[in-house]
Amino acid sequence: MNSWDPLGAAEQAAVADEILSVLRHDLRNRFAIVRNASFYIKRKVARDAAYTADPRIEEFFGIIDEEVVAASARLEESVDAARLFTRRSVCVSAAGCVRRAAACARIGASGARIVLSAQDGDVEADPIELAVAVRCLIESAVESTPGDGVVTVRGTSSAARYCIEVTDAAAVPGEANSEAILRPFYTTKPGHSGLGLNIARRVARRYSGSLAVEPRAHGSSVVIALPLAAAPVLRDAGSEPAP
């Protein structure tokens, strides 16, 4: 029997965002190559008698250029992700999001245990989307942790930031090249999409935060750092609001 996933809609939207971003980047580059190649060929054949003799040649070069520009513009059109998930940024308990992510993590029969500790701290974010980001990190860590190893999830508040750190217990040293790990579709596990870290990084950046991969002697840690929400301004009971 299928169980309802409270983070499912937000995760679908996050996966769609990531895939569309990769496709847009790739297609932009390809369209630019086609346009540049067309421009180069046009300059070369413009000196040929056949170019001036057949007006359709210049017309077709114009069509190529117009269609490439139109296709590039279509890439910039927003996809209506609101059908899947409506994002709302509010002042939310980061610790609550971490606990929700751990509770909803799909660890299956891996045998890994999750050890969780989260200090209080508020951030400006969508609570469901932030929980999805942390769940992605937890599930990725579980995949890297053999047997009955421990995945550590910590939320700490210090200075002006709230840090969420997820550490796996892989039997091998963590990969030092974080750029390789953060490439879309990078995975060492057959059957996995390799988008978890990308989704988490996109969510962190959306709320003015960051994501970093820190190799360890055994395994690695992934840290999301978000700015703490500004404390509300307290007024004296008898004070009047500023005009």
Side-chain angles (χ1 to χ4, degrees):
M1 182 175 67
N2 293 329
S3 58
W4 176 67
D5 181 359
L7 307 181
E11 184 178 59
Q12 290 177 38
V15 170
D17 275 348
E18 199 60 44
I19 292 174
L20 286 170
S21 176
V22 173
L23 290 175
R24 284 191 184 110
H25 178 75
D26 183 58
L27 288 173
R28 280 192 203 100
N29 290 341
R30 291 175 185 271
F31 286 147
I33 291 170
V34 170
R35 197 177 184 195
N36 290 339
S38 174
F39 179 75
Y40 176 81
I41 295 171
K42 180 181 178 180
R43 287 184 60 188
K44 288 292 185 182
V45 302
R47 305 189 187 102
D48 194 272
Y51 183 86
T52 54
D54 189 347
R56 292 175 302 174
I57 296 177
E58 183 175 9
E59 178 185 352
F60 288 148
F61 274 116
I63 290 172
I64 292 171
D65 193 60
E66 289 173 5
E67 290 300 316
V68 169
V69 170
S72 298
R74 287 292 299 273
L75 290 177
E76 306 306 322
E77 295 178 1
S78 61
V79 176
D80 185 14
R83 292 180 296 107
L84 295 174
F85 171 68
T86 302
R87 187 178 298 118
R88 56 187 181 89
S89 182
V90 296
C91 181
V92 64
S93 166
C97 294
V98 171
R99 286 191 287 267
R100 172 180 276 182
C104 295
R106 298 160 296 193
I107 61 176
S110 69
R113 292 184 297 114
I114 299 174
V115 175
L116 170 66
S117 64
Q119 298 176 358
D120 291 335
D122 293 339
V123 297
E124 292 283 344
D126 181 280
I128 300 297
E129 193 169 46
L130 181 54
V132 166
V134 179
R135 179 168 79 168
C136 286
L137 300 187
I138 293 173
E139 291 177 353
S140 178
V142 167
E143 291 171 9
S144 301
T145 299
D148 58 352
V150 174
V151 171
T152 304
V153 183
R154 297 175 63 240
T156 56
S157 177
S158 62
R161 302 184 78 75
Y162 193 94
C163 294
I164 302 166
E165 181 177 10
V166 180
T167 305
D168 63 43
V172 296
E175 188 169 347
N177 187 356
S178 61
E179 286 304 313
I181 297 171
L182 290 169
R183 282 200 301 264
F185 308 113
Y186 175 93
T187 180
T188 59
K189 301 287 184 179
H192 293 269
S193 68
L195 288 174
L197 292 181
N198 301 94
I199 289 170
R201 179 172 62 173
R202 183 176 294 275
V203 171
R205 288 177 172 176
R206 181 170 289 135
Y207 300 110
S208 304
S210 62
L211 181 145
V213 180
E214 301 176 356
R216 305 294 186 207
H218 294 285
S220 58
S221 291
V222 183
V223 182
I224 289 177
L226 296 169
L228 287 169
V233 177
L234 299 178
R235 300 183 184 277
D236 293 336
S239 63
E240 293 293 330

